[in-house]
Amino acid sequence: MSTQPKSFQELINGETPVLVDFFATWCGPCKTMQPILEDTSKQMGAKVKILKVDIDKNPLAASKFQVRGVPTLILFQKGKILWRQSGVVPVHQLVQIVNSTLQANA
């Protein structure tokens, strides 16, 4: 029995919070976010999934969530947007925001 990879919609509707990085390959600040997201992932562990969405390959997702600039980070849980911000967010601030947002919505 093979397990199909979950769709974007299934992931953001799940119990596990998902931090989505809407990015573009041509975006300089997006490249800055890559190591920040890797550090955030290490610090947060299984508490949050991190997903990268290329707006050029997924224009419908970008449009649906009104992503006007990249990078845009959106934290989803159970299909709801808990937090969103455009621009580069330092790792310590990102971890703090995600932790406090999850506690406030627990």
Side-chain angles (χ1 to χ4, degrees):
M1 189 167 94
S2 68
T3 56
Q4 290 291 319
K6 288 189 174 179
S7 73
F8 178 75
Q9 203 59 46
E10 285 176 306
L11 283 171
I12 66 171
N13 285 331
E15 285 289 325
T16 304
V18 181
L19 180 64
V20 182
D21 172 29
F22 289 92
F23 78 103
T25 53
W26 46 262
C27 160
C30 297
K31 292 177 177 73
T32 306
M33 278 307 299
Q34 182 59 39
I36 293 171
L37 290 168
E38 287 168 8
D39 283 354
T40 302
S41 179
K42 285 180 196 144
Q43 289 186 39
M44 299 295 297
K47 271 203 273 188
V48 67
K49 282 188 176 86
I50 296 179
L51 199 61
K52 293 182 69 64
V53 175
D54 184 334
I55 62 161
D56 292 325
K57 291 182 181 160
N58 301 285
L60 288 175
S63 169
K64 179 176 180 182
F65 297 107
Q66 298 168 341
V67 174
R68 304 266 183 265
V70 286
T72 292
L73 300 169
I74 304 179
L75 181 63
F76 293 94
Q77 188 174 24
K78 298 178 192 163
K80 289 197 315 241
I81 294 175
L82 302 180
W83 171 83
R84 75 180 286 154
Q85 184 170 322
S86 293
V88 174
V89 182
V91 67
H92 66 278
Q93 187 182 346
L94 188 55
V95 169
Q96 187 181 355
I97 289 168
V98 171
N99 277 326
S100 61
T101 303
L102 295 180
Q103 285 170 352
N105 288 281

